[in-house]
Every structure is written in structure tokens, then in C-alpha cells.
């Protein structure tokens, strides 16, 4: 695994605008970065990333099955009791999932170590599935990269096929896509996913989360008063469970993507549960609930993570990593878990995180984020990769 500097395509900003990639630069900071790329061998991809991704995903599903059937564990995961039946029924019904992303620390040697599971609202899907693939094609066509250069990236193809599978479950329903206002990255993500759904012959609509209403019967409606029966929402379940309208969840006929049972997988309490059920697995880091920290004796440094943290928010280091600044954010009231510190590999001045994508239980590609800070956050740069 190498980080290799490369010349940027001279017209890439113009092409980004043409293809709707409007969030390549945000708040004056570069988000998409093609001044370098990461190079992998096929063995590194297949053995160290693809195979563990699929194995860990099955382990995560085993955790869901355990938690669903245990009230004490549902409380451990800070899931509101009023929503337990809603969550459980979605698992019992086998409500389908679209996608997930596992985040790993991996240096090109040894075992990739799982940081977390982004199972409910993973972003950077457009950059992964389409834009970095276009970067590869352009650079092969121009002779910058060798013709045999490849990429672990079948994300878009698998997304379209997964939407086709889902369409057969709800053949006559319009699929509403939703995200919050003022979030250009989220808007770009749902637009891309809507395009994939349209390619699968699904009729789509868009509505902002803030504009969703309800009728007298408690049905959710869009701005045209159309009843929503099928929805992809880029809005975390833990937020939805706290909304005033949450009393209607489960009482109206809506198919959700992602389904409510994903609230268990996207929860940081997943990490200590994985360690309990699969102790000493080579791709897992020792992880503990707050009231079980005595089990972490002998571990010199721990990472403290809120149960509902997203995009690296409210993470801090306890122990040897005193020089690392904690990240800010709105989380923490729900409690914390603790994970053994395993620092991201550093390439030059950058700490590098690998996101490994899953569609329909199968590994589908990787994305790479890097930052000068060891905590990867929403504005950390996205870089492309190749396989040689």
C-alpha cells in the first residue's frame, strides 16, 4: 500500500460541476483531493479488506439478532422503549437493507482493524461509486496510469441491482428520498442514490426532512400532500426516535431504507458486543461498556466514543495518547463505549482511514479519507485508489 503523488486533471473542477459534484470543495476547504492516490495489490484488497468485510458484516448481523431478543441489551444500546416493537418488527419481517460502510485502520500489512460500522446513514457513496471511477478512467485514457490499473469499485452496479431487488418488494410505491436542508453533501448523496433507483425503474420523489408533514390519520406526506409509503432518509434513526412525530412510527404503512433494525448496527454499543461475542477476533479491537472498564485492565490507551457519535464527533483519548485533541460535537449524553487505541496509519503528514462498502451482504468497494488529525471527520479529504 503506497500513497503516490500525481498531477491533477487540468479540468477536473469543471467536470465536477458538469456531473453535479458541487461539494468537492466546502467552506473553502478541499474535500476531493486528487493530488495523490493510494495503490494496493490485489492480495491486499481480497485477503485483508474484502474477505474481513463480509465476515464482520455477518458477525454484526448476529449481534442484531442477539440484541433484538433481549430487553436489557436494547437498553444498553440506548434505544427508546417506545420504539422497540417498531425496531423488532422490521428485523422479524426481514426488511431489506441497501448499504453499509465499515471503517478500518489498515496500513497494507497485518489485519485491518474495525473502527465502526456506518450502517444507517453512510455518506461518500457518490465519490466512491462514480467520481473516483471516472478519475481512474480519465487517467488511464490519458496515459497517466497504466492500462492494467484497476479499482476495487463495483458499488454503483451493485446499488442499481439492489434497488431492482427492493423494487420487487414494493412494485407500486413511489420512493421518496429525504435529507436535511443546508447539507450539500447529503443532498448530493441522495441525488446520486435517486439516480441509481431510477436506473432500476423506480419512480422517485424528493422532500426535505423539515418539510415532511402528516395528515389527520398520521400518514407522513410530502409538500404536495402525497402520502409517503416508501422512503430513503439520510437522517439517523436516533434523531427520528426523538422527534415529536416518532409516535407515528410503525403505525403507518411505510417501507424504510434503511430499516429500523439498522439503528442497532449504526450504534457504537455494537463494538463491545462484537468483542463479547467474538473475543480476540483478529479484525476487532477490544471494546467495553462504561460499567465494564475493569475488563480493560492492562490496556494502556483507550478511545472514548459516544454511543450515537457520527463523523468523528465527541471522540477523545484516554491514556497514552495525551497529545491528541478531543473532537467536538453534540453527542455524549447517551453514554460512552471504550475501544482500545489503534492509531490510523500515517502516510507523510496524513492519517488514513479506509471505508469498505457492503451492498446486499457483499463487499462492493473502498473509499479512502485522510486528515492531518488522527480523528477522521466530515471534512477529511477523500482520495482515489487503484489496484496494480
Amino acid at each position: 500500500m503506497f500513497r503516490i503523488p500525481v498531477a491533477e486533471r487540468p479540468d477536473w473542477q469543471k467536470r465536477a460541476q458538469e456531473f453535479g459534484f458541487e461539494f468537492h470543495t466546502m467552506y473553502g476547504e478541499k474535500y476531493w483531493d486528487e493530488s495523490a492516490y493510494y495503490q494496493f495489490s490485489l492480495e491486499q484488497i481480497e485477503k485483508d479488506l474484502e474477505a474481513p468485510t463480509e465476515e464482520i458484516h455477518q458477525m454484526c448481523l448476529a449481534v442484531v439478532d442477539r440484541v433484538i431478543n433481549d430487553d436489557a441489551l436494547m437498553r444498553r444500546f440506548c434505544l427508546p422503549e417506545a420504539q422497540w416493537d417498531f425496531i423488532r418488527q422490521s428485523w422479524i419481517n426481514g426488511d431489506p437493507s441497501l448499504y453499509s460502510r465499515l471503517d478500518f485502520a489498515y496500513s497494507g500489512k497485518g489485519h485491518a482493524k474495525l473502527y465502526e460500522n456506518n450502517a444507517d446513514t453512510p455518506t461518500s457513496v457518490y465519490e466512491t461509486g462514480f467520481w473516483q471511477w471516472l478519475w481512474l478512467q480519465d487517467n488511464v485514457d490519458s496515459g497517466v496510469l497504466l492500462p492494467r490499473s484497476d479499482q476495487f469499485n463495483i458499488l454503483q452496479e451493485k446499488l442499481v441491482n439492489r434497488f431492482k431487488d427492493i423494487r420487487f418488494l414494493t412494485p407500486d410505491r413511489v420512493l421518496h428520498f429525504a435529507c436535511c436542508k443546508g447539507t450539500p453533501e447529503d443532498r448530493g448523496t441522495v441525488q446520486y442514490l435517486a439516480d441509481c433507483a431510477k436506473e432500476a425503474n423506480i419512480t422517485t420523489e424528493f422532500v426535505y426532512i423539515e418539510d415532511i408533514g402528516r395528515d389527520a390519520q398520521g400518514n407522513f406526506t410530502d409538500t404536495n400532500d402525497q402520502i409517503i409509503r416508501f422512503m430513503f432518509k439520510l437522517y439517523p434513526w436516533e434523531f427520528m426516535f426523538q422527534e415529536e412525530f416518532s409516535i407515528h412510527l410503525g403505525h403507518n404503512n411505510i417501507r424504510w431504507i434503511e430499516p429500523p433494525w439498522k439503528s442497532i448496527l449504526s450504534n457504537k454499543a455494537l463494538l463491545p458486543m462484537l468483542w463479547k461475542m467474538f473475543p480476540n477476533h483478529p479484525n476487532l479491537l477490544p471494546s467495553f461498556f462504561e460499567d465494564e472498564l475493569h475488563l480493560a485492565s492492562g490496556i494502556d490507551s483507550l478511545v472514548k466514543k459516544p454511543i450515537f457519535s457520527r463523523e468523528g464527533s465527541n471522540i477523545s483519548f484516554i491514556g497514552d495518547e495525551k497529545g491528541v485533541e478531543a473532537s467536538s460535537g453534540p453527542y455524549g449524553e447517551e453514554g460512552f463505549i471504550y475501544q482500545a487505541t489503534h492509531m490510523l496509519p500515517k502516510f507523510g503528514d496524513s492519517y488514513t482511514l479506509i471505508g469498505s462498502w457492503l451492498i446486499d451482504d457483499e463487499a462492493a468497494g473502498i473509499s479512502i479519507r485522510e486528515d492531518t488529525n488522527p480523528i477522521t471527520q466530515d471534512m477529511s479529504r477523500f482520495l482515489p485508489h487503484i489496484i496494480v
Side-chain angles (χ1 to χ4, degrees):
M1 179 178 172
F2 302 98
R3 186 185 191 277
I4 301 176
V6 67
E8 297 182 354
R9 293 168 294 171
D11 63 343
W12 77 262
Q13 290 95 338
K14 181 175 181 292
R15 298 200 74 194
Q17 292 299 122
E18 292 172 355
F19 283 101
F21 188 15
E22 298 179 358
F23 53 96
H24 60 76
T25 302
M26 292 188 286
Y27 316 111
E29 297 289 334
K30 179 187 289 186
Y31 169 63
W32 167 261
D33 185 354
E34 59 177 70
S35 63
Y37 63 88
Y38 284 83
Q39 178 177 302
F40 297 82
S41 70
L42 185 60
E43 181 180 14
Q44 287 171 326
I45 293 293
E46 292 181 341
K47 178 183 175 183
D48 295 344
L49 294 171
E50 185 177 2
T53 293
E54 295 183 356
E55 181 182 2
I56 290 172
H57 176 63
Q58 292 302 319
M59 291 157 54
C60 290
L61 296 181
V63 171
V64 175
D65 198 56
R66 172 78 66 87
V67 174
I68 282 287
N69 294 293
D70 190 318
D71 288 356
L73 289 177
M74 294 287 275
R75 291 190 185 93
R76 276 280 200 194
F77 278 63
C78 299
L79 299 169
E81 191 167 348
Q83 303 298 338
W84 287 1
D85 287 344
F86 178 53
I87 296 167
R88 284 170 168 155
Q89 200 59 49
S90 72
W91 179 251
I92 293 168
N93 292 345
D95 289 353
S97 164
L98 178 64
Y99 67 159
S100 296
R101 191 189 75 235
L102 303 181
D103 284 346
F104 289 106
Y106 177 65
S107 67
K109 298 178 181 178
H111 297 288
K113 297 293 185 179
L114 178 70
Y115 268 24
E116 61 188 45
N117 188 342
N118 297 274
D120 183 17
T121 57
T123 54
S124 73
V125 62
Y126 170 84
E127 305 91 285
T128 304
F130 176 75
W131 187 252
Q132 71 165 343
W133 182 256
L134 183 64
W135 169 89
L136 174 69
Q137 289 181 320
D138 286 348
N139 280 291
V140 168
D141 290 346
S142 65
V144 173
L145 296 175
L146 295 173
R148 59 190 175 92
S149 300
D150 200 358
Q151 200 173 79
F152 181 37
N153 188 4
I154 48 176
L155 190 62
Q156 182 165 301
E157 176 186 349
K158 282 187 169 292
L159 279 169
V160 172
N161 289 336
R162 186 58 174 159
F163 273 121
K164 289 178 181 178
D165 294 339
I166 292 172
R167 175 169 58 88
F168 286 113
L169 298 175
T170 50
D172 301 320
R173 299 192 187 191
V174 173
L175 176 55
H176 280 78
F177 285 81
C179 69
C180 290
K181 295 178 179 179
T183 56
E185 182 185 3
D186 289 359
R187 186 66 184 93
T189 297
V190 297
Q191 182 61 60
Y192 173 66
L193 290 171
D195 289 344
C196 291
K198 289 174 186 175
E199 193 171 335
N201 294 319
I202 295 175
T203 302
T204 69
E205 295 283 354
F206 175 80
V207 61
Y208 283 112
I209 292 288
E210 296 90 338
D211 291 338
I212 295 174
R214 65 176 180 86
D215 62 16
Q217 289 72 46
N219 296 305
F220 296 139
T221 58
D222 63 17
T223 52
N224 296 316
D225 294 329
Q226 180 179 9
I227 294 175
I228 297 170
R229 298 295 189 192
F230 189 18
M231 170 163 277
F232 174 95
K233 45 85 192 164
L234 201 63
Y235 191 64
W237 276 114
E238 64 265 22
F239 290 0
M240 290 185 69
F241 292 156
Q242 300 302 321
E243 296 279 3
E244 182 180 352
F245 64 69
S246 65
I247 60 173
H248 299 289
L249 293 171
H251 300 290
N252 41 29
N253 184 18
I254 298 182
R255 273 288 178 88
W256 295 97
I257 304 175
E258 294 294 322
W261 60 262
K262 279 294 197 79
S263 62
I264 296 173
L265 285 191
S266 63
N267 189 307
K268 298 297 187 297
L270 172 74
L271 300 171
M273 280 301 299
L274 281 170
W275 188 249
K276 284 173 179 286
M277 293 176 63
F278 306 96
N280 301 311
H281 189 281
N283 296 110
L284 297 180
L285 294 168
S287 301
F288 312 94
F289 289 106
E290 249 182 320
D291 61 355
E292 297 176 342
L293 275 175
H294 61 280
L295 300 175
S297 61
I299 297 177
D300 294 331
S301 179
L302 295 166
V303 181
K304 183 180 180 182
K305 296 183 176 182
I307 285 175
F308 292 146
S309 176
R310 291 172 183 271
E311 297 181 328
S313 297
N314 300 101
I315 289 175
S316 58
F317 291 80
I318 298 173
D320 288 347
E321 302 297 335
K322 297 288 187 183
V324 179
E325 293 185 7
S327 56
S328 61
Y331 305 98
E333 290 184 6
E334 70 278 11
F336 297 84
I337 63 94
Y338 295 78
Q339 187 180 56
T341 301
H342 181 91
M343 298 298 287
L344 289 174
K346 201 170 183 183
F347 292 80
D349 295 328
S350 297
Y351 293 92
T352 302
L353 178 79
I354 294 178
S356 186
W357 292 85
L358 285 141
I359 309 290
D360 195 18
D361 300 332
E362 295 181 348
I366 62 169
S367 51
I368 297 175
R369 304 288 296 277
E370 66 173 29
D371 204 300
T372 54
N373 190 300
I375 300 174
T376 306
Q377 297 186 272
D378 58 343
M379 282 301 297
S380 297
R381 298 178 303 278
F382 187 110
L383 278 78
H385 77 279
I386 69 168
I387 304 171
V388 174

